[in-house]
Amino acid sequence: MSIKIDETKIRPYGDSLDDGRMQFSFALPAPCNEKGKEAATQVLKQMGLHDIEICYLNDLGEGFTHFVAYASTSVTVDLTKIQVKIVETPVMNMEETDAFIEENIGREISIVGACIESDAHTVGIDAIMNMKGYNHRYGLERYKHIEAINLGAQVPCEELLQKALEVNADAILVSQIVTQKNIHIKNLTKLIELSEAEGVRDKMLFICGGPRINHELAIELGYDAGFGSGSYATDVASFIAFHYADKIKKGE
Amino acid sequence: MSIKIDETKIRPYGDSLDDGRMQFSFALPAPCNEKGKEAATQVLKQMGLHDIEICYLNDLGEGFTHFVAYASTSVTVDLTKIQVKIVETPVMNMEETDAFIEENIGREISIVGACIESDAHTVGIDAIMNMKGYNHRYGLERYKHIEAINLGAQVPCEELLQKALEVNADAILVSQIVTQKNIHIKNLTKLIELSEAEGVRDKMLFICGGPRINHELAIELGYDAGFGSGSYATDVASFIAFHYADKIKKGE
Amino acid sequence: MISLTIDPKKIQEARKNASDIVKSLGWLLEDYSSVTIERTVLRLMGIDGADKDGAPIPNIIVEHLREKKAIERGAAYWIANAMAFKDLSAQEIANQVSKGELDLTQIEVQSPKKVFDILDKLTDKMLLHITKQNQFRKEAFKKFGPRKAPSVYVIVATGNIYDDVAQAKAASREGADIIAVIRTTAQSLLDYVPYGATTVGFGGTYATQENFRIMRKGLDEVGEEIGKYISLTNYASGLCMPEIAAMGAIERLDVMLNDAIYGILFRDINMKRTLLDQYFSRMINAFAGIEIQTGEDNYLTTSDAIEKAYTVTASQLINEQFAILSGIKPEKMGLGHAYEINPEIEGSFVYELSHALLTKTLFPDAPVKYMPPTKFASGNIFKTYAMNTLFNFIGGLTNQGVQLLGMMTEAIHTPHLVDRALAIENADYVFKAVKGLNEEISIKKDGFINKRANKVLDEASGFLKKVSEDGLFTAIENGDFADMPRPENGGKGLEGVFKKSSEYLNPFMDKMKAKLGL
Amino acid sequence: MISLTIDPKKIQEARKNASDIVKSLGWLLEDYSSVTIERTVLRLMGIDGADKDGAPIPNIIVEHLREKKAIERGAAYWIANAMAFKDLSAQEIANQVSKGELDLTQIEVQSPKKVFDILDKLTDKMLLHITKQNQFRKEAFKKFGPRKAPSVYVIVATGNIYDDVAQAKAASREGADIIAVIRTTAQSLLDYVPYGATTVGFGGTYATQENFRIMRKGLDEVGEEIGKYISLTNYASGLCMPEIAAMGAIERLDVMLNDAIYGILFRDINMKRTLLDQYFSRMINAFAGIEIQTGEDNYLTTSDAIEKAYTVTASQLINEQFAILSGIKPEKMGLGHAYEINPEIEGSFVYELSHALLTKTLFPDAPVKYMPPTKFASGNIFKTYAMNTLFNFIGGLTNQGVQLLGMMTEAIHTPHLVDRALAIENADYVFKAVKGLNEEISIKKDGFINKRANKVLDEASGFLKKVSEDGLFTAIENGDFADMPRPENGGKGLEGVFKKSSEYLNPFMDKMKAKLGL
Ligand code: B12
Ligand code: B12
Ligand SMILES: Cc1ncc(COP(=O)(O)O)c(C=O)c1O
Ligand SMILES: Cc1ncc(COP(=O)(O)O)c(C=O)c1O
């Protein structure tokens, strides 16, 4: 015997199956006393929680109070019904990718990348593109059969697109790190709309990345792929290589 | 100008008024990948949250994953409508209480305390009763006009009640620290029911305390008062003194 | 390299004072036995199980012998005698007794040779099994590498052995070295060991032999998978110290909570009972190669960690002497220490560094069981997490034997799956971060840290001296220990203590003593 | 007492190398000015406001003078001349220009005496105001006691100045000593300072004079209440360095981010522009008694903190020399350092201790701005909280000047109200806990910590030597700094740099120099 999980009805787990236990921390514009505690309890109650324990409250000044709580939810999720869009091409290392390109594509792949608009966080795109790479994976610049151009920080969408057309790029890589007020959504949308307006959306792959990006969101925004935290050059390179090899195979 | 809070519609505060932002941490019996992330998102969605950011996921092994998330709630609480039962008597220090008893009651107050049933956590009741006290407030044993008897740990309800009757106690103090599976509710209820069965409920004050106890819960369970974390002998002593002074004033 | 400057003579003297205390109790340890010791003998003879009301068979037998006023000879003799007469196994005999079908004292007296032969065989069989378990453990450590120091020790305490196993396995994958299954509330006060697999406990899971077995199996499985031997621990101290020690030896637990005086002070168990029980219990631990851990942390959960620091040191020295008496080697003495200093105090870390180093200095070979802040843990899980970070810092810096990880939810609930994982991550991170710091710094000779450690040792030594003069019993009666006056003839379990008759027999103790050179 | 063993000669040499680099730039600092320097002069003369399209009046005046090719004489002269002629205030003149009603270059030339009188009066008036602000600050510290060390420094960054104030007040109550209002994304690239109170920023709040005033008022209020002077800080570095410095001086900011080369490397601002701007900007800081803080942390957010540790040291030494040139006293030089070591590295804490001590050793009087882990902060807020705990440990142990508190949500969002409170609580706890530890331990002379610090210093010194030989411009062009090659005539803002004519006038700079003894 051991604990048995019903995949169609999973629920948060504290220390016993299906206890639904979760931890919460939040501030309220409420006093640091029993009244505030009750307000915090009511917030959680309205979220459908039960067995609510407000285990800590602290006066933050200016009329605010911090609450730490544990409570149980009775919502369940059917794991078997969850469909997520993920990049499904296998991931090859640099040497494999280079060999793959040589064999299946037979030409150099050209890639242009940038941190667009107001975003100046280049570490992420550098991790993917720069020679040096990241966490023991070399960046795209080091790939024998990839020509990688990294435009760096705060590149206007127009400029990026122009450069990509100029070098006849196979893929555009966009990085968006700042997400406050959904600025990343705005910027990414802008690029895609621009490409559509100029009729070049289908001329190349549009790929985006950043800590709050995933494949699903990327697809939703009209991109071909999206990569989140902890992605490497290997992921992107493999995806691009497979895409073009496929195209050739299909005779497109 | 400054930020204005509408007390009838307060909502969690992250860094902007009414952003509803809260922090969550929980485990799910789900894989540590995009699918698990989606499951976590769905849990939060069902709780009515929006702008859900799953900012961390970690494989805990055995099929479990840990998620840290931030998300926004749109529930609001009307602070002006919240009524909580709290101990309303003012709190006097030891000297004041002693003087107050001398003046308004004119006799010694007798108090019996214990950690009841399975509970062996005496530090809390000791903090209230022992000579030494807690955090620079002396315990009840030190009060000139209070006769305090601390029965210690794991005292059966029957024994506590018997002792209280024996010494003609004015108040019974009960401590309950362990709360797992609501054992404290069971134990506290048992004592009250026993006192009712023996017809002695109204012969003395019944007061309980512990980190998960508050006045409201105590009243609900049939007690006269309840004290939570951070209470002191001063709180209890004042409450008892005022109660009996009041009774005398009313000629009861 | 950080180390304290303490006069070795001072240490010797303190140790001598503790030894004096312990040595004066020879009469008790030699001439008396207890019901749980006898039940232990029965268990070691292979008797297990419970009757239909859940009463454990070993308890039934011992009760039976008590009723018949025959227990003074020791349970072993009576069972062996019956076995010789009936040619049945120990378990079969026991079952008959439990059903009321057999009166052991009414059976014809068999020839001593026959009886001794039976006893010899049973004893050898069990000791061989235990030796094999010990051997298995040693080989596993050889195969996978030794336990790291500080070892990462985490508890599981769901009340349900199956949830416990899942969580213990998860913890093992995350880097735990030792898993402790916390016992259900106040199991130490039960004068019997519950039987079978259990799923309902309060604040912990029943310590039963079946639960031991289930957890051991789970840990062996995950250990094989991840290439590491995961140690298992549970609690012996209480009214069933030797029985649980025996269960642990049989099921290959690796570490056991076993404090010589915890039961007296913190559970109001009679002092003669506890001292007697711990003696045999520790002997079993020693024979089985099980590391013991003592409960000095308990002193600090009720008293102030600075004011009463010396009580920890005194208790460690006493526990050490009792351990020596039972044949436990220094490297198996997991003496306790705890980081329970009020975080509001200026220099709390400095105080703690001094205290932690003192323990290391006094017991250089002991895999000290270093306990986290618990008393000052609050519902503020973040603050508690920060306190645990400093606790891990000291553990890493002073290279403690066993780091009993603090949980950020200490003040709220027994650990959740997530709490444990975060605790392990914290320890891993901190140990790694401070690695080498130890070699880089030294402690000022005439500074506060050294003065403080010397002061604590002086206080402990003086206290032990006084106790050795007054006698341990009197001292405990006077409340000298943890401000908990316990009467010599009060507390639980005294009725279970009896004087052995001249024909008394405990073949396991005899053989273990021989093997341990006692 | 912990301290490093470093040959003072080595330190002298490194310092000399940095000084050589900085001294070779005299030509630039003496002979050139920039649009923002002129706008600063206008602001100091009392000109403020924006036109109906939001263009700041100082920008309009400077543009006007540029169009008329009259800027080389400095903006001050033209305004004063017009004031003399029209008998209007500076603001009135400026308003007329901004409406296109007045061409400053078309006004009849007034007698030098008249013009100089006006300038003198305006200059004295403003310098008096700034001196009074400085005096106010000094008295407040006298009244409430000095800023503690390490000072607790937290940021607010909501984008809305009113939310910022509420949060800054809350933080002050919780124990913050310094409040930094983070600027909206890339404000440093705006060649103007926005006007008025603002409520919409990205990742920060616009640095405007009105916002400075609103926050200053809020902090003064809460400070009175809690009996403490709360310091306020904002960012000068960028295309408006001196303007923002002036605004800070006027509105009594106490600390300002002001790095001599940050703009060049991390914002691609032209090197001449930045070096010029920082010179006057820092002079204003110096005159106003404002403590500067430099941005060495930026080196480590892009490169490895161990491999590139020397770049921090090198930058500190350069920043120091530039600061000296502008009259900043050592105790007002908040040089930067950051705990950005990969937590996965063994001995990360030991490395960091070495690096942090090196900074302390080189700049014993500087209120070093010690930055928290950010790069390795992850969405795991608990882990990040633990990392911040060790960061606070080093801050407390090495007694840093300013502890820029890490936020557990660093990898997620700009700080929430709760994050900040927990950060302050952590720092309070840790500082208190390790208090005194400093006095108790010493660093092994020939150990890793000392060797490492010496190595970093050697690397930095060698690097500075090379830069001084190649020249700073060439070195930057070659990408020697932070692997960021920046062309001498590239980057933003070069068009705003101009050579002063022989009649050039900047009465503020002249008077400040005199008062600062430069
Ligand atoms: C370093 C850093 C900086 C540096 C950037 C230096 C540089 N040249 O990049 C400096 C100091 C300049 C900086 C400035 C600012 N920053 Co900043 N910064 C960070 C920090 C500490 C680390 C980011 C980082 O380098 N991560 C490491 C890289 C390797 O990870 P990554 O970016 O996620 O990239 C990986 C994946 O996402 C993916 N990926 C990323 N892009 C792409 C693209 C493609 C095509 C693919 C396939 C994959 C991919 O692959 C990468 C490797 O695995 C974060 C906090 C944090 N710990 O995350 C804040 C943070 C990102 N910054 C923040 C802010 C607000 C700012 C400022 C706006 C502050 C201000 N008001 O001045 C400024 C302005 C910058 C601007 N205009 O954008 C916020 C953003 C809040 C939000 N969620 O919106 C953060 C989260 C800090 C905080 N809590 O406030 N910052
Ligand atoms: C110390 C301690 C112990 C000591 C107790 C020693 C003793 N003599 O009291 C020992 C080591 C023996 C112990 C044992 C156990 N403990 Co314990 N213990 C704690 C600990 C660390 C501190 C409790 C404490 O002393 N707090 C300080 C006092 C001053 O605060 P307080 O009790 O809240 O009291 C204040 C108020 O609540 C109030 N108050 C309290 N009572 C009363 C009464 C009245 C009348 C009034 C007016 C006010 C009042 O006033 C007091 C002063 O302000 C907590 C964790 C924690 N940090 O909270 C765990 C904790 C309470 N223990 C716990 C558990 C599970 C156990 C065990 C069951 C574990 C086990 N399986 O063996 C055992 C069994 C004990 C038993 N039978 O009850 C859990 C309870 C989980 C839960 N929520 O149910 C906790 C939370 C730890 C954990 N996370 O697992 N424990
Ligand atoms: C030495 C020792 N034994 C046993 C226990 C717990 O056992 P119980 O709660 O069943 O007494 C503890 C608890 O901390 C202990 O320290
Ligand atoms: C010295 C210095 N100035 C300015 C800034 C930020 O200003 P901005 O983002 O507007 O360039 C930073 C950021 O870290 C800094 O270190």
Side-chain angles (χ1 to χ4, degrees), chain D residues 183-184 186-188 235 237 257 259 262 267 294-295 297-298:
Chain D
R183 272 197 317 210
T184 184
Q187 186 180 341
S188 50
Y235 296 76
S237 331
L257 264 282
D259 191 290
Y262 164 83
R267 284 290 179 261
T294 59
D297 46 291
N298 292 287

Side-chain angles (χ1 to χ4, degrees), chain B residues 23 25-27 56 58-62 64-67 118-120 122-123 132 154 178-181 183 186 211-212, chain C residues 157-158 166 169-170 173-174 185-186 189 200-204 222 267 301-302 382 411-412 414 417-418 421-422 425:
Chain B
Q23 177 264 322
S25 161
F26 56 97
Y56 176 69
N58 182 37
D59 191 345
L60 299 178
E62 304 302 303
F64 290 95
T65 298
H66 175 207
F67 299 92
S118 52
D119 209 319
T122 53
V123 179
K132 182 167 110 175
Q154 295 184 306
V178 178
T179 59
Q180 237 188 7
K181 298 176 191 160
I183 183 86
K186 273 175 233 153
R212 294 287 164 273
Chain C
T158 68
K169 283 181 157 186
R173 290 182 202 284
E174 290 151 7
T185 301
L189 299 186
V200 210
F202 275 110
V222 72
R267 285 291 179 257
T301 55
T302 41
F382 302 99
I412 305 169
T414 48
L417 185 63
V418 165
L422 289 171
E425 181 176 44

Side-chain angles (χ1 to χ4, degrees), chain C residues 194-215:
Chain C
Y195 180 73
T198 72
T199 58
V200 210
F202 275 110
T205 307
Y206 282 95
T208 73
Q209 190 160 351
E210 183 59 21
N211 287 347
F212 284 10
R213 199 175 293 140
I214 291 170
M215 182 57 82

Side-chain angles (χ1 to χ4, degrees), chain B residues 118-125 127-128 134 154 173-180 207-211 227-232 236, chain C residues 182-186 202-204 262 266-267 298 301-302 340 374-378 409-415 484:
Chain B
S118 52
D119 209 319
H121 291 87
T122 53
V123 179
I125 188 86
I128 303 292
Y134 183 56
Q154 295 184 306
L173 301 189
V174 197
S175 182
Q176 282 290 273
I177 311 301
V178 178
T179 59
Q180 237 188 7
I207 300 173
C208 56
F227 294 87
S229 303
S231 355
Y232 297 109
V236 197
Chain C
I182 300 297
R183 271 195 320 209
T184 186
T185 301
F202 275 110
Y262 164 84
F266 301 104
R267 285 291 179 257
N298 292 288
T301 55
T302 41
E340 287 285 14
T374 64
K375 194 163 55 164
F376 293 100
S378 76
T409 51
E410 169 62 32
I412 305 169
H413 49 229
T414 48
M484 289 282 186

